[in-house]
Amino acid sequence: MALRGAVKMLFPIDQNVDDFKVEATSASAINISWNGGFPGAEKIVIESSSPQDATYHNVADLTPNTNTYVVEGLDEVTPYHFRIFGVNEHYSSTSLEGKDTTDIMPQISLPATEI
């Protein structure tokens, strides 16, 4: 009789991310980008908070090979704080944190009138 089995080995997650950027791209969106990754992670977690709510909330769970994410549906002229980190079944990496404030919605010009 032959017995066979498999063991899933989980190791702590390294964090080799650099050039982490959080940049507002409009009145309702912020682009998050980075170079590098989280070796050993099964997913990358993005969380956010705003001054009205100081606790962080999950925004997205991304595949480990992702290097950018756009957060949409944000409020105009609001500061947002973001953090990213890699996780697997037993470990989390250290987090990277960044912040930016959404832009002011551009004003629409009224048509010219005759006086």
Side-chain angles (χ1 to χ4, degrees):
M1 175 167 42
L3 296 176
R4 295 184 185 184
V7 174
K8 182 177 181 181
M9 299 293 292
L10 293 174
F11 296 99
I13 300 168
D14 292 328
Q15 184 249 87
N16 63 2
V17 173
D18 61 9
D19 202 24
F20 179 61
K21 294 179 183 174
V22 176
E23 299 173 313
T25 57
S26 73
S28 63
I30 290 181
N31 184 55
I32 301 170
S33 63
W34 61 93
N35 292 322
F38 299 90
E42 293 175 345
K43 64 182 176 180
I44 296 172
V45 176
I46 297 178
E47 295 180 332
S48 74
S49 74
S50 64
Q52 297 87 354
D53 183 8
T55 60
Y56 279 88
H57 302 281
N58 187 300
V59 172
D61 292 338
L62 308 173
T63 59
N65 59 348
T66 305
N67 289 87
T68 187
Y69 186 77
V70 177
V71 183
E72 298 178 310
L74 303 174
D75 294 329
E76 177 185 17
V77 192
T78 302
Y80 286 93
H81 299 261
F82 293 93
R83 65 183 178 195
I84 65 168
F85 53 94
V87 298
N88 62 30
E89 193 175 331
H90 297 288
Y91 298 100
S92 293
S93 71
T94 56
S95 62
L96 293 164
E97 298 185 15
K99 64 181 178 176
D100 201 358
T101 301
T102 48
D103 296 335
I104 296 174
M105 191 171 292
Q107 298 296 313
I108 300 171
S109 300
L110 298 173
T113 58
E114 291 185 34
I115 298 182

